[in-house]
Amino acid sequence: MSIGVFDSGVGGLTVHRALVNRLPQADFIYLADQANAPYGGRPGEEIVDLTRAGCERLFDAGASVVILACNTASAIALRRLQQTWLPGYRKALGRPVNVLGIIVPTIEAATGLPWEHEAERRGEKVEQLDVLGVFSTPGTTASRVYEIEIDKRRQDVAVFSEPCPNLARMIEADAGAVELATEVERHVQQLKTRIGRYPDRAILGCTHYEIVADMFRAALPAGTPMIQQPQATADALELYFQRHPELDPGTGGGRTFLTTGAPGPQNGLVESFWGGPLRFEAA
């Protein structure tokens, strides 16, 4: 058995690395749907279908849990899959499996509250707002998942999302550092213009963006807190396995990397982030 990690491309490696560091004895299978990346501009039904196909591939390979290390898939497909597809698939498979996302632990980290918590709506004017900026794909931005779910829990946090339609594609394509930094700076300034000032905190709401997190730090005011999705996901998954001993993450420390795109070495930007050579096999 193993843990499956799914993303439209290489961005999920940021989550994968945090999970491996937290659960080093577990077996991991990473699947990048690079043939269809990025997901951010695709129609919702297409994202659901592609995510379901990725989960099936990972369950067929022995995964007991699949982590959707993609904000777009987590925002648009996760609930649909959990409610309408997974119960029947689990029964047909004949073993316990589950699909989890990265947005729930991110929102828990952003609010400091458990997912189950919902604030009492008092209707009182909040004197001081904590302004939270979310940089994400157009699909995640359009879902308004961060605005909706954070507002349920904290009335004193104002969320402003900035869609970055080209950034994930640029990272996949191994764009140069200057080009990437210029794109990041442009989106930070656009968000600042809409808010009227810089955000107090930030979420990189696409796992690709963690690869260029240093560029976001440089573009934001020094010391701006950034909520780390990979760390939040690793914290949540460790606790999840403690609560669900029926789900087996494996014990052999295996690492497999699959892609629906062209197999072979990954680009220089990704290998630099990963810290060494990285080859994907054909899915």
Side-chain angles (χ1 to χ4, degrees):
M1 305 306 293
S2 60
I3 299 170
V5 182
F6 178 76
D7 185 36
S8 62
V10 297
L13 291 170
T14 59
V15 173
H16 182 277
R17 187 168 72 173
L19 296 179
V20 167
N21 288 341
R22 182 59 61 87
L23 302 166
Q25 301 305 316
D27 295 297
F28 284 88
I29 306 174
Y30 183 90
L31 174 59
D33 189 17
Q34 291 177 305
N36 297 294
Y39 280 10
R42 290 184 176 274
E45 285 302 316
E46 196 171 331
I47 293 168
V48 172
D49 290 343
L50 291 170
T51 304
R52 182 175 60 245
C55 290
E56 287 179 349
R57 175 67 180 85
L58 287 165
F59 287 137
D60 287 345
S64 60
V65 172
V66 172
I67 308 300
L68 301 184
C70 171
N71 281 267
T72 304
S74 294
I76 295 171
L78 178 59
R79 185 169 295 181
R80 278 274 301 278
L81 295 181
Q82 288 176 331
Q83 293 178 347
T84 67
W85 169 72
L86 193 57
Y89 182 80
R90 188 184 286 130
K91 186 175 180 180
L93 198 61
R95 62 182 174 90
V97 294
N98 206 0
V99 182
L100 306 173
I102 58 176
I103 288 178
V104 168
T106 304
I107 288 173
E108 289 181 330
T111 61
L113 296 166
W115 180 255
E116 297 77 15
H117 178 87
E118 289 198 17
E120 182 180 350
R121 314 306 294 183
R122 297 180 180 277
E124 299 172 356
K125 183 179 179 181
V126 178
E127 294 297 331
Q128 185 170 350
L129 284 173
D130 175 14
V131 177
L132 178 62
V134 180
F135 299 93
S136 61
T137 67
T140 301
T141 301
S143 76
R144 291 184 53 80
V145 64
Y146 284 103
E147 288 89 339
I148 292 168
E149 298 298 341
I150 289 175
D151 182 66
K152 284 181 184 178
R153 294 158 178 82
R154 291 280 299 272
Q155 289 181 275
D156 60 338
V157 178
V159 180
F160 293 84
S161 291
E162 169 67 16
C164 309
N166 298 316
L167 189 53
R169 192 188 309 273
M170 292 168 66
I171 293 168
E172 289 278 341
D174 200 17
V178 173
E179 186 181 1
L180 286 166
T182 299
E183 185 74 2
V184 168
E185 175 68 26
R186 183 170 70 84
H187 285 296
V188 169
Q189 291 304 315
Q190 285 180 181
L191 182 63
K192 178 191 175 188
T193 298
R194 286 197 294 109
I195 298 174
R197 64 179 178 87
Y198 287 108
D200 298 310
R201 298 183 293 152
I203 292 175
L204 301 186
C206 171
T207 51
H208 282 80
Y209 302 171
E210 289 285 342
I211 295 174
V212 293
D214 58 329
M215 297 180 184
F216 278 96
R217 291 190 184 93
L220 291 162
T224 300
M226 290 175 58
I227 294 156
Q228 302 293 311
Q229 284 196 305
Q231 189 64 41
T233 304
D235 292 344
L237 186 60
E238 183 178 33
L239 293 173
Y240 182 82
F241 277 122
Q242 291 173 10
R243 296 195 305 270
H244 294 276
E246 74 278 9
L247 295 169
D248 184 1
T251 58
R255 311 285 181 257
T256 302
F257 299 89
L258 305 175
T259 180
T260 60
Q266 290 304 294
N267 69 48
L269 180 65
V270 173
E271 291 196 340
S272 176
F273 166 80
W274 189 254
L278 183 63
R279 293 183 64 87
F280 282 7
E281 302 170 18

